[in-house]
Amino acid sequence: MLDAAFIQQAATRLDAAERSRTQVRQFSLDYPQITLEDAYAIQRAWVAQKIKDGRKLVGHKIGLTSRAMQVSSNISEPDYGALLDDMFFDEGTDIPFERFIVPRVEVELAFILSKPLKGPNVTVFDVLDATEWVIPALEIIDARIQQVDPQTQASRKVFDTISDNAANAGVVMGGRAVRPSEIDLRKVPAVLYRNGVIEESGVSAAVLNHPAKGVAWLANKLAPYSVTLEPGQIILGGSFTRPVAANPGDTFHVDYDMLGSIACRFV
């Protein structure tokens, strides 16, 4: 376990990187002994620092939900991060590009809870019972840590991504909200257009075969830390498309078929 001083220093470096839009060196290069627990400790310290600065925790995100992404990251389970109140943007609006460094867009479903979920032993059925609404969402991911080290050419590792709040940076929700019992949550399709060109498509079953499984996993994963998923919180269930890069001037439109669509523009 890395010492508390380094963990706090790493969190401060991430905060400075976000503010200055200047990526920092990979923690896994500076500290090759870093573990997943260390990475989550850095993330928790970063979140605590943000809350101390006046931001509010409003939910959580789940990432690395596809088997292909887990294999590429040399990890056998998803990861998670925090959603803070100033990460949310209204659909159909302009998103300031200067808020980010290298933003990319992913297609997801968001679960809005009406009951608490606390592990262990939370199941998909518990998640469905505790969910008031499911609504389409776009996650804007970013990298405050260098993806490739300029000296060694080493690629960023999963420890770096988890430290970096599992890459989360923004959320856009929109389209049609539904009760979880209204539709088959495994069969929600989505087609992502960037500047009128189809860049990605997918179906929600790609998220662990059912997007509610990720929420159950998260509740159980957070149980040892005495963290409960609270009523009113928003849980991003995981992407069912690859991330698509966003540049200034890019317009995104994502069609979720029966659940409507989301549009936004980076300026």
Side-chain angles (χ1 to χ4, degrees), residues 55-66:
R55 292 164 70 175
K56 295 180 180 179
L57 179 72
V58 296
H60 305 269
K61 68 148 285 183
I62 303 156
L64 298 180
T65 50
S66 75

Side-chain angles (χ1 to χ4, degrees), residues 42-248:
I42 293 168
Q43 183 190 123
R44 288 193 295 272
W46 178 85
V47 172
Q49 193 166 308
K50 292 294 187 182
I51 291 173
K52 185 178 179 181
D53 290 341
R55 292 164 70 175
K56 295 180 180 179
L57 179 72
V58 296
H60 305 269
K61 68 148 285 183
I62 303 156
L64 298 180
T65 50
S66 75
R67 182 61 182 156
M69 288 298 293
Q70 291 175 15
V71 170
S72 68
S73 301
N74 195 28
I75 193 172
S76 60
E77 64 180 9
D79 66 359
Y80 63 85
L83 300 182
L84 303 173
D85 58 341
D86 70 341
M87 293 177 173
F88 287 78
F89 299 91
D90 292 333
E91 65 170 328
T93 61
D94 290 341
I95 297 175
F97 187 82
E98 68 269 10
R99 277 279 303 267
F100 311 99
I101 303 173
V102 284
R104 294 183 292 167
V105 175
E106 293 184 334
V107 172
E108 314 210 2
L109 292 176
F111 291 73
I112 301 175
L113 302 182
S114 59
K115 299 178 183 179
L117 284 171
K118 184 173 183 179
N121 305 318
V122 171
T123 69
V124 168
F125 304 106
D126 297 323
V127 173
L128 296 176
D129 181 61
T131 300
E132 184 168 16
W133 297 103
V134 177
I135 188 169
L138 305 182
E139 181 182 5
I140 303 169
I141 62 173
D142 203 0
R144 277 72 57 162
I145 294 176
Q146 291 173 338
Q147 291 164 294
V148 177
D149 181 70
Q151 280 77 45
T152 66
Q153 297 303 302
S155 295
R156 183 181 57 186
K157 294 181 172 57
V158 69
F159 311 106
D160 303 301
T161 306
I162 289 173
S163 299
D164 192 14
N165 196 34
N168 177 258
V171 181
V172 184
M173 297 193 302
R176 175 188 167 213
V178 295
R179 305 292 186 184
S181 60
E182 283 185 47
I183 62 170
D184 184 348
L185 292 177
R186 297 178 62 254
K187 296 182 179 179
V188 178
V191 180
L192 182 151
Y193 297 80
R194 180 178 60 184
N195 302 326
V197 177
I198 295 175
E199 296 282 357
E200 264 298 314
S201 62
V203 64
S204 54
V207 181
L208 301 174
N209 198 40
H210 194 300
K213 280 188 177 180
V215 183
W217 172 86
L218 179 64
N220 294 328
K221 192 72 176 177
L222 292 174
Y225 305 100
S226 299
V227 175
T228 301
L229 305 185
E230 301 288 356
Q233 285 189 338
I234 299 162
I235 313 296
L236 289 184
S239 179
F240 47 101
T241 65
R242 69 175 178 86
V244 177
N247 296 293

